Amino acid sequence: MQSRFRSDRQLTARMGVTLFLLGLLYVGFVAALVVLLKSWVLVVVVAAGLLGAQYWFSDRVALFAMHGRVVEREEYPALHGVVDRLCAIADMPKPVVAVSEMDMPNAFATGRNADHAVICVTTGLLRRLEPDELEGVLAHELSHVAHKDVAVITVASFLGVIAGLIVRFAFYSQLFGGGRRDQNTAAIFAMVLGVSAAVYAISFLLIRALSRYRELAADRAAALLTGRPSALASALTKVSGDIARIPTKDLRTAQAFNAFYFTPALGRDPGIAQLFSTHPSLEQRLEQLGRISAELGEAAAPEGA
């Protein structure tokens, strides 16, 4: 089903290239583990099982991790009303609506397709935004669902997650049990660690490149759908400013899900983390919205139009 969100051929092309390259990397990674561990059944079964679990249950995992819960219309009528209106305008199925009891202002969308999607906002976001700003944020998240990049980023992140887990397991295994290995086992252990670290690094860079563009694409699609890029720009400025005032130590749990958020949880002093952020800079996003506003003639529109 084609929604009324403006299609983005560059986003589609980037998603295709990213999935292709990650697919090659995935095959190479599995092959390397099979050769090193000498058990193709174990590696393939575990890898396929984890990939399937992430694809089918990513929405539940994300909600659980971010303390989100599904809410009905009776509990949050205004929130449901905005989602209903945007889905009607965009001609797309309504996703499940959820709320996370977090003070950090943010939102995210997850799910394998438009028929199995979840859009979640934090109570901190609901408290801080005006209705038109909230509409802009929700349109941004719905565009991720409509463009199918939520499913792509979920699948794409799988390889990095697995490689990262292997590296972490290897680190703690070496830390607590390194003295009990023979030389041959230690060599295989080191090679598995090296392959996993390389795969993690490559997948990390590929996902960052896709993620930054998809955020700009979502901003653009949301601004054009609502016709009010200034409201989205206002929400971006407000949310980014409030998150920057939260101590970094209080954001560490949330940072694992930065690729899915409306605005990354970087804290007051992002430092080098900004270079590897899943999102373009606030300045880039506001500059794009400013151009769209000028194209739409929004600034010249009469008050209340």
Side-chain angles (χ1 to χ4, degrees), residues 1-221:
M1 179 178 174
Q2 185 70 36
S3 76
R4 291 196 182 115
F5 276 106
R6 183 171 295 187
S7 61
D8 191 312
R9 292 182 179 178
Q10 284 195 51
L11 176 61
T12 302
R14 286 168 184 254
M15 289 192 297
V17 170
T18 300
L19 284 178
F20 176 73
L21 293 176
L22 283 170
L24 291 179
L25 190 62
Y26 180 72
V27 171
F29 183 46
V30 170
L33 291 182
V34 169
V35 171
L36 292 171
L37 300 178
K38 297 180 172 59
S39 177
W40 70 267
V41 174
L42 174 64
V43 173
V44 171
V45 169
V46 171
L50 290 173
L51 177 60
Q54 179 156 0
Y55 179 75
W56 289 98
F57 304 114
S58 60
D59 52 346
R60 301 179 196 178
V61 171
L63 281 181
F64 176 79
M66 297 313 301
H67 311 291
R69 62 184 179 86
V70 176
V71 296
E72 301 300 331
R73 183 184 304 276
E74 294 74 20
E75 191 174 358
Y76 283 89
L79 175 60
H80 272 271
V82 176
V83 175
D84 284 336
R85 184 166 63 255
L86 288 171
C87 288
I89 295 171
D91 191 21
M92 64 182 292
K94 181 182 178 181
V96 172
V97 178
V99 170
S100 171
E101 300 288 338
M102 295 177 63
D103 187 58
M104 179 190 69
N106 229 317
F108 66 89
T110 184
R112 62 186 183 272
N113 55 44
D115 293 318
H116 299 86
V118 177
I119 186 167
C120 181
V121 298
T122 67
T123 51
L125 186 83
L126 294 175
R127 282 197 301 270
R128 288 171 171 87
L129 297 190
E130 299 298 324
D132 60 338
E133 294 170 337
L134 178 62
E135 181 182 65
V137 173
L138 292 174
H140 171 102
E141 296 304 328
L142 286 172
S143 77
H144 282 316
V145 176
H147 288 154
K148 300 181 178 63
D149 57 270
V150 163
V152 171
I153 208 72
T154 297
V155 173
S157 64
F158 164 77
L159 187 56
V161 169
I162 296 303
L165 286 175
I166 291 176
V167 172
R168 187 174 300 180
F169 171 78
F171 173 77
Y172 286 112
S173 177
Q174 182 70 24
L175 192 64
F176 296 113
R180 295 191 296 272
R181 294 191 184 87
D182 58 34
Q183 190 171 1
N184 187 51
T185 302
I188 294 175
F189 181 84
M191 286 187 284
V192 170
L193 179 60
V195 169
S196 299
V199 167
Y200 178 80
I202 295 171
S203 62
F204 178 91
L205 294 175
L206 286 173
I207 291 168
R208 291 307 181 275
L210 172 62
S211 184
R212 291 184 181 189
Y213 184 85
R214 86 184 189 105
E215 293 302 330
L216 289 173
D219 284 346
R220 184 164 52 248

Side-chain angles (χ1 to χ4, degrees), residues 212-289:
R212 291 184 181 189
Y213 184 85
R214 86 184 189 105
E215 293 302 330
L216 289 173
D219 284 346
R220 184 164 52 248
L224 293 174
L225 184 77
T226 62
R228 286 185 287 191
S230 62
L232 181 56
S234 176
L236 265 171
T237 303
K238 189 179 292 186
V239 170
S240 299
D242 283 353
I243 289 179
R245 285 190 283 273
I246 301 175
T248 303
K249 62 183 177 63
D250 295 335
L251 296 172
R252 282 174 185 158
T253 300
Q255 286 173 346
F257 292 88
N258 271 346
F260 295 91
Y261 281 137
F262 171 65
T263 300
L266 293 179
R268 63 181 62 175
D269 185 23
I272 196 171
Q274 181 65 52
L275 297 176
F276 300 102
S277 175
T278 52
H279 291 57
S281 68
L282 175 63
E283 291 72 22
Q284 285 179 286
R285 298 175 75 176
L286 293 179
E287 181 183 358
Q288 175 182 247
L289 290 171

